[in-house]
């Protein structure tokens, strides 16, 4: 461990929080607005010592474990290697949390936890099985979960979180090492990341819509981004001639397209697409209207960065971002205004990663998993729920 990392861990152990300014702080809630937002206010307090579940939280928050890998929950055995996730409101007033399973060898898939209006777990079931390395994904406004296979020529599977309809492979979204998807709710376009050191940033635009105005994910065009001004600036999109990668990988089909070092989570909010790249510990922001890309956060710009090992990303209704760490200090970190602030930290899971952060539909609870738990084994994943004054 580097000396700087050791010092940083000691600071976190005693609850001190360092602040950092963003490069693109105008692309998040302003400092004045951020001061009124609950997550940024919450994170400004010291994290308390670990609770009985090993989670350090701000005052007023509590944790509970809702599932362990291998645990029998109703008629479903909670899967190993829990990864990307999202929540969906149910008609009974409760909600569903879906979670990917990142096992290979046709052992991957997606499991679901169903909660009633009181937050009690009332059911668990599978919504996808016999797939490979389902890493992250994305929720859609039409109440489906897009589960991404992180393998060469991986597919995106559209899943019904309520378990009523069979999952469907959406090959028009491309065959490549998928990581995550975000839906632009205004323009009805999808943005996708690729988890390769030379991965690309993609956009899908449909040709047709259903009667509800939702895009047809089997009839569209897949494009790859070229950042014209080197790493940041104006973006030009190029259509792929072979999204199924029958002869050439999608990332190599347009030589002038821009490489991103390990695409990870992605999130859309009010005209901006945010995504992370793990190879250089960056958070990027794409302005859909201006068609411009900027770096929002880069760990390399700080002597002792609060956020490292960037991975899954989600957000709240106010536009604050929650970024999960793969390794790092096993934190979920809030990006808001001009500061980076730890919201929570899982202790004793040093060989794991935080995955699948998702707020409940009403914003009152936060779900996430420690993919490999305390042992570092995929069989020992733990899925948490956090409640408190979000």
């Amino acid at each position: 461990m580097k000396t700087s990392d050791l010092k940083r861990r000691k600071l976190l152990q005693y609850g001190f929080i360092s602040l950092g300014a963003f490069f693109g702080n105008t692309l998040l809630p302003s400092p004045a607005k951020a001061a009124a937002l609950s997550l940024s206010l919450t994170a400004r307090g010291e994290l308390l010592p670990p609770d009985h579940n090993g989670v350090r939280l701000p005052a007023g928050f509590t944790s509970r474990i809702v599932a362990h890998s291998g645990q029998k929950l109703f008629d479903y055995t909670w899967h190993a290697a829990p990864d990307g996730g999202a929540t969906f409101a149910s008609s009974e007033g409760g909600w569903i949390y879906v979670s990917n399973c990142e096992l290979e060898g046709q052992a991957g898939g997606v499991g679901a936890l169903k909660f009633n209006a009181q937050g009690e777990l009332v059911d668990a079931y599978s919504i996808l099985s016999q797939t490979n390395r389902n890493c992250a994904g994305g929720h859609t406004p039409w109440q489906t979960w897009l589960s991404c296979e992180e393998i060469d020529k991986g597919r995106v599977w559209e899943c019904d979180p309520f378990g009523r309809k069979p999952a469907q492979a959406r090959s028009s979204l491309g065959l490549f090492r998928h990581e995550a998807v975000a839906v632009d709710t205004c323009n009805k376009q999808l943005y996708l990341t690729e988890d390769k050191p030379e991965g690309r940033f993609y956009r899908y635009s449909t040709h047709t819509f259903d009667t509800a105005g939702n895009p047809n994910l089997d009839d569209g065009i897949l494009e790859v981004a070229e950042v014209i001004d080197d790493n940041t600036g104006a973006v030009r999109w190029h259509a792929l001639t072979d999204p199924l990668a029958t002869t050439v990988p999608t990332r190599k089909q347009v030589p002038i397209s821009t490489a991103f070092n390990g695409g990870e989570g992605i999130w859309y909010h009010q005209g901006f697409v945010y995504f992370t790249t793990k190879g250089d510990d960056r958070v990027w922001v794409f302005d859909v209207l201006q068609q411009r890309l900027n770096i929002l956060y880069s760990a390399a710009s700080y002597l002792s960065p609060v956020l490292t090992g960037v991975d899954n990303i989600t957000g709240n209704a106010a536009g604050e971002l929650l970024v999960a760490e793969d390794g790092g200090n096993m934190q979920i970190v809030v990006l808001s205004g001009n500061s980076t602030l730890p919201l929570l930290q899982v202790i004793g899971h040093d060989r794991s990663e935080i995955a699948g952060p998702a707020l409940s539909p009403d914003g009152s609870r936060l779900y996430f998993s420690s993919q490999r738990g305390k042992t570092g084994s995929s069989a020992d994943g733990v899925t948490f729920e956090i409640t408190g004054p979000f």
Side-chain angles (χ1 to χ4, degrees):
M1 181 182 295
K2 297 179 181 178
T3 302
S4 60
D5 291 337
L6 181 60
K7 290 180 179 178
R8 179 167 165 256
R9 286 186 182 272
K10 288 181 177 179
L11 284 173
L12 284 164
Q13 179 181 353
Y14 292 101
F16 296 111
I17 296 173
S18 60
L19 305 180
F22 291 123
F23 295 102
N25 55 12
T26 59
L27 301 176
L28 280 173
S30 67
K33 182 179 179 182
L37 299 177
S38 57
L39 283 179
S40 58
L41 275 177
T42 295
R44 289 182 191 279
E46 294 183 359
L47 296 183
L48 299 177
D51 66 8
H52 63 290
N53 293 319
V55 184
R56 298 185 63 209
L57 294 163
F61 285 75
T62 58
S63 75
R64 72 163 169 158
I65 294 173
V66 293
H68 289 273
S69 294
Q71 179 183 5
K72 188 67 176 294
L73 297 169
F74 304 94
D75 293 326
Y76 179 68
T77 300
W78 193 243
H79 50 272
D83 207 305
T87 62
F88 299 84
S90 66
S91 59
E92 301 90 354
W95 57 91
I96 293 164
Y97 175 67
V98 300
S99 168
N100 279 351
C101 170
E102 200 187 11
L103 292 179
E104 53 191 14
Q106 300 294 311
V110 185
L113 298 173
K114 183 177 181 180
F115 300 88
N116 64 18
Q118 290 73 46
E120 300 167 326
L121 182 62
V122 295
D123 201 3
Y125 47 89
S126 171
I127 60 173
L128 176 67
S129 61
Q130 298 183 328
T131 51
N132 287 292
R133 294 202 64 182
N134 297 78
C135 194
H139 69 87
T140 72
W142 52 95
Q143 294 288 84
T144 63
W145 168 244
L146 299 174
S147 182
C148 295
E149 289 184 308
E150 189 193 329
I151 58 172
D152 291 338
K153 292 196 175 183
R155 293 170 291 181
V156 176
W157 291 85
E158 187 168 22
C159 308
D160 175 13
F162 307 98
R164 304 186 189 108
K165 300 176 182 178
Q168 301 289 326
R170 301 304 186 191
S171 297
S172 291
L173 299 182
L175 300 187
F176 56 87
R177 198 176 184 89
H178 282 278
E179 177 68 29
V181 188
V183 180
D184 175 348
T185 56
C186 292
N187 297 298
K188 306 296 179 68
Q189 293 173 305
L190 280 67
Y191 292 87
L192 307 95
T193 55
E194 181 178 22
D195 192 355
K196 295 281 286 187
E198 71 285 9
R200 297 309 198 255
F201 179 42
Y202 300 92
R203 181 178 71 179
Y204 174 84
S205 303
T206 188
H207 293 310
T208 59
F209 298 84
D210 65 17
T211 55
N214 299 318
N216 184 339
L217 302 188
D218 292 322
D219 179 27
I221 183 171
L222 186 66
E223 299 168 292
V224 64
E226 174 202 0
V227 185
I228 299 170
D229 302 325
D230 199 14
N231 287 327
T232 62
V235 172
R236 179 185 294 129
W237 296 94
H238 301 272
L240 295 179
T241 57
D242 182 18
L244 300 183
T246 54
T247 56
V248 179
T250 55
R251 67 184 179 278
K252 296 182 178 180
Q253 290 181 24
V254 180
I256 59 175
S257 62
T258 300
F260 292 90
N261 195 349
E264 290 288 337
I266 191 167
W267 182 257
Y268 172 85
H269 182 76
Q270 294 184 355
F272 295 94
V273 178
Y274 304 93
F275 66 96
T276 61
T277 48
K278 65 184 179 185
D280 47 17
D281 266 333
R282 288 177 172 177
V283 180
W284 303 78
V285 56
F286 175 64
D287 185 326
V288 175
L289 180 62
Q290 300 297 325
Q291 291 290 292
R292 295 188 65 84
L293 183 72
N294 286 287
I295 300 170
L296 188 69
Y297 172 88
S298 176
S301 298
Y302 302 91
L303 292 176
S304 183
V306 172
L307 173 62
T308 59
V310 299
D311 202 318
N312 292 173
I313 186 170
T314 188
N316 64 7
E320 296 173 302
L321 302 178
L322 287 76
V323 185
E325 290 187 326
D326 179 351
N329 282 284
M330 283 295 289
Q331 302 173 118
I332 292 179
V333 177
V334 179
L335 306 188
S336 180
N338 61 354
S339 57
T340 68
L341 302 160
L343 177 65
L344 61 84
Q345 182 185 23
V346 180
I347 301 298
H349 294 222
D350 294 341
R351 290 185 290 166
S352 186
E353 63 185 87
I354 291 181
L359 290 161
S360 59
D362 65 358
S364 67
R365 302 171 192 240
L366 173 66
Y367 296 91
F368 68 91
S369 295
S370 169
Q371 188 181 73
R372 295 177 294 279
K374 293 181 178 180
T375 67
S377 168
S378 295
D380 292 321
V382 184
T383 301
F384 295 87
E385 176 193 78
I386 307 299
T387 58
F390 284 105

